[in-house]
């Protein structure tokens, strides 16, 4: 807001100053010429000086505006740097399990159970509760849907499972173990999460699919593509998996971006798959 105000004030002030200067030179100079105090050539010379000053004055105003924009950007960078970071558990290397990000942590063949026990959560003090004594239990196998109006706390359930936030009270358990007792890398390596936004990065289709599973083979990539009905898209791409998708997937439709995100999650073979309205832009067949 401060940058926008500065832009408005600086631009208007510079424009008014130039116009006032022209009027002053014409008025005073014209009167002096009429009195015979100065020749017309002198008046013309002063008007030319004003024209020559237009460029430098404009550059000064632009430089001041750019400084304000840069100062605002630096302030935002400082805010990000001051954000709290997740503390990595200080465990000895010998006690850390070997985590294969492509296959998931622990036993990749066994899905994970989820349980909420009297979970109470709000995003910060002073805000209303999002969850108030929420309890449910999900078995290791099967599919469960959370259905409710916008703002009911569905995405917050996923955020608590991923341990992006921690509940005020209660417990969130994965495989019967509180998520606060899991090492973060091990917990998140076991989970596949497809966000509603379905981000696709600049690069090739192969890069996007292998983003979280760098060891995936071409056969696995093609199986994931077929499973998410992207084989038609792949057939239209001139370079196949090596086709560039553009900045934020600008060459793709919303549904294609969502299916790429789903395929990316499936390539990890997660023990627990979280889908946050991941099919909102897909038709019934897909």
């Amino acid at each position: 807001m401060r940058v926008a105000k500065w832009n408005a004030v600086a631009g208007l002030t510079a424009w008014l100053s130039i116009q006032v200067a022209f009027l002053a030179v014409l008025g005073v100079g014209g009167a002096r010429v009429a009195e015979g105090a100065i020749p017309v050539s002198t008046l013309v010379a002063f008007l030319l000086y004003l024209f020559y000053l237009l460029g430098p004055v404009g550059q000064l105003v632009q430089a001041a505006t750019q400084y304000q924009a840069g100062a605002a950007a630096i302030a935002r960078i400082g805010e990000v740097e001051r954000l709290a970071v997740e503390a990595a558990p200080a465990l000895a290397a010998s006690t850390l399990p070997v985590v294969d990000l492509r296959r998931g942590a622990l036993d990749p063949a066994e899905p994970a159970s989820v349980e909420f026990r009297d979970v109470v959560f709000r995003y910060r003090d002073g805000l209303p509760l999002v969850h108030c004594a929420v309890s449910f239990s999900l078995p290791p196998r099967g599919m469960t849907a959370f259905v409710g109006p916008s703002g009911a706390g569905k995405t917050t359930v996923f955020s608590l499972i991923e341990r992006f936030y921690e509940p005020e009270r209660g417990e969130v358990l994965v495989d019967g173990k509180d998520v606060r007792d899991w090492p973060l890398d091990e917990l998140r390596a076991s989970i596949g999460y497809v966000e509603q936004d379905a981000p696709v990065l600049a690069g090739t289709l192969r890069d996007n699919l292998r983003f979280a599973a760098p060891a995936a083979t071409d056969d696995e990539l093609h199986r994931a593509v077929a499973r998410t009905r992207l084989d038609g898209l792949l057939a239209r791409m001139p370079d196949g998996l090596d086709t560039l998708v553009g900045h934020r997937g600008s060459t793709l439709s919303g549904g294609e971006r969502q299916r790429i995100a789903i395929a990316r999650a499936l390539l990890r073979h997660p023990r627990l798959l979280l889908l946050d309205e991941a099919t909102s832009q897909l038709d019934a067949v897909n």
Side-chain angles (χ1 to χ4, degrees):
M1 290 298 296
R2 287 196 299 270
V3 171
K5 290 177 181 177
W6 173 259
N7 285 338
V9 171
L12 182 62
T13 301
W15 183 82
L16 282 176
S17 300
I18 293 170
Q19 301 306 315
V20 169
F22 269 112
L23 290 174
V25 170
L26 283 173
V28 175
R32 298 284 300 233
V33 169
E35 295 171 357
I38 60 173
V40 176
S41 59
T42 302
L43 175 60
V44 173
F46 272 99
L47 290 174
L48 289 175
Y49 290 151
L50 281 177
F51 277 112
Y52 285 129
L53 282 172
L54 284 178
V57 170
Q59 290 177 351
L60 285 174
V61 172
Q62 184 179 8
T65 302
Q66 289 177 342
Y67 171 78
Q68 291 293 324
I74 291 174
R76 291 296 302 274
I77 292 172
E79 291 177 8
V80 173
E81 289 179 338
R82 289 191 295 271
L83 288 175
V85 297
E86 295 173 331
L91 299 177
S94 59
T95 64
L96 284 173
V98 177
V99 177
D100 182 353
L101 290 178
R102 183 168 62 89
R103 294 297 183 186
L106 301 181
D107 181 5
E110 180 60 34
S113 62
V114 176
E115 184 178 357
F116 273 46
R117 294 179 181 172
D118 296 322
V119 170
V120 176
F121 175 77
R122 74 182 84 206
Y123 280 97
R124 63 174 181 268
D125 294 338
L127 292 180
L129 290 174
V130 179
H131 292 158
C132 182
V134 171
S135 298
F136 61 83
S137 179
L138 307 181
R141 297 185 182 276
M143 179 170 62
T144 301
F146 288 91
V147 182
S150 179
K154 303 184 295 294
T155 300
T156 306
V157 169
F158 289 172
S159 297
L160 292 173
I161 295 173
E162 288 267 17
R163 204 182 162 196
F164 295 153
Y165 300 95
E166 294 187 1
E168 289 185 11
R169 295 193 301 274
E171 295 178 305
V172 178
L173 297 94
V174 174
D175 268 355
K177 181 178 179 181
D178 196 310
V179 293
R180 288 170 286 198
D181 297 329
W182 282 73
L184 278 177
D185 54 353
E186 184 180 333
L187 173 68
R188 292 175 182 165
S190 303
I191 299 173
Y193 186 19
V194 182
E195 302 175 69
Q196 184 176 1
D197 185 35
V200 174
L201 307 178
T204 66
L205 178 59
R206 184 191 305 274
D207 293 336
N208 273 279
L209 291 174
R210 297 177 65 182
F211 184 75
T217 65
D218 282 354
D219 288 341
E220 290 175 313
L221 292 178
H222 285 287
R223 283 200 298 270
V225 165
R227 191 173 183 184
T228 52
R229 300 178 62 87
L230 284 167
D231 37 8
L233 170 67
L234 186 61
R236 297 194 305 270
M237 287 186 160
D239 298 321
L241 290 172
D242 295 316
T243 302
L244 296 173
V245 298
H247 177 63
R248 295 184 63 86
S250 57
T251 63
L252 306 171
S253 69
E256 288 167 346
R257 288 196 294 270
Q258 285 191 324
R259 280 179 282 162
I260 287 174
I262 294 171
R264 184 167 51 202
L266 294 178
L267 274 170
R268 299 183 63 190
H269 303 278
R271 302 181 59 211
L272 178 63
L273 182 60
L274 307 179
L275 304 175
D276 189 358
E277 296 189 38
T279 59
S280 60
Q281 300 187 54
L282 301 184
D283 54 38
V285 174
N286 284 313

